[in-house]
């Protein structure tokens, strides 16, 4: 009888633990991290080191000063985009992504001057915001 009671107690603890974990996951859904992948196509006459320096010195600081967001420049190492660049934007939550990039498209943040974006556009054929996907972290 003691063995059966012990098994029942262990089973009850497992169920309770599972329920608590599920409840925490449900509450964290709106706080799930968001990853925006912006695939870039660089013009063939662009100096890659100059491009990297420009993005890291001019564009990244603008994005990285916005609370809840980080910009990371990456270059494909393997796979179908080997040697190609992407910009990753990470957000701490959906709320941060939606605050910075509201569905209305009316941005309140300062994204730099037009001359900076003209220079960026002179280096790419497909730029920031053209080919992108936002991924939301799957919460289990």
């Amino acid at each position: 009888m003691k063995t059966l009671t012990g098994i029942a107690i262990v089973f009850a603890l497992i169920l309770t633990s599972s329920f608590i974990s599920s409840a925490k996951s449900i509450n964290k859904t709106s706080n799930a991290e968001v990853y925006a992948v912006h695939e870039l196509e660089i013009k063939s006459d662009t100096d890659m080191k100059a491009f990297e320096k420009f993005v890291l010195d001019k564009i990244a600081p603008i994005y990285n000063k916005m609370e809840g967001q980080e910009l990371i420049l990456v270059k494909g190492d393997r796979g179908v985009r080997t040697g190609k660049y992407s910009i990753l934007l990470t957000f701490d939550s959906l709320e941060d992504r939606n605050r910075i990039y509201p569905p209305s498209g009316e941005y309140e943040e300062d994204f730099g001057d037009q001359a900076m974006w003209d220079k960026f556009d002179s280096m790419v054929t497909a730029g920031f915001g053209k080919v992108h996907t936002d991924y939301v972290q799957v919460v289990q």
Side-chain angles (χ1 to χ4, degrees):
M1 187 58 108
K2 287 183 181 180
T3 304
L4 192 54
T5 303
I7 292 172
I9 290 172
V10 169
F11 184 68
L13 289 172
I14 291 170
L15 283 177
T16 302
S17 175
S18 177
F19 177 75
I20 290 170
S21 294
S22 294
K24 286 180 181 177
S25 293
I26 290 168
N27 290 336
K28 290 176 79 175
T29 300
S30 66
N31 291 329
E33 285 192 44
V34 180
Y35 306 90
V37 179
H38 293 257
E39 296 178 1
L40 305 176
E41 295 296 333
I42 312 301
K43 291 182 179 175
S44 60
D45 63 342
T46 299
D47 177 290
M48 297 305 176
K49 292 297 178 197
F51 170 77
E52 291 174 7
K53 182 170 176 35
F54 179 76
V55 171
L56 295 174
D57 291 351
K58 301 295 183 188
I59 295 177
I62 292 170
Y63 284 76
N64 290 341
K65 75 177 181 185
M66 297 176 200
E67 186 178 337
Q69 170 180 263
E70 182 181 6
L71 181 145
I72 305 164
L73 179 65
V74 296
K75 186 175 181 182
D77 179 56
R78 292 184 182 174
V80 297
R81 290 193 44 86
T82 298
K84 296 187 177 191
Y85 291 90
S86 291
I87 288 178
L88 302 179
L89 294 176
T90 65
F91 303 93
D92 294 337
S93 67
L94 283 168
E95 288 81 8
D96 285 329
R97 193 268 321 261
N98 293 340
R99 174 182 46 79
I100 297 167
Y101 305 99
S104 67
E106 296 178 20
Y107 308 123
E108 294 182 13
E109 299 286 347
D110 176 12
F111 289 95
D113 62 19
Q114 189 58 46
M116 180 191 73
W117 289 109
D118 290 344
K119 181 170 181 174
F120 179 79
D121 288 341
S122 75
M123 295 185 267
V124 299
T125 58
F128 213 6
K130 304 294 187 232
V131 179
H132 76 281
T133 302
D134 286 3
Y135 296 90
V136 177
Q137 179 180 345
V138 177
V139 181
Q140 300 178 13

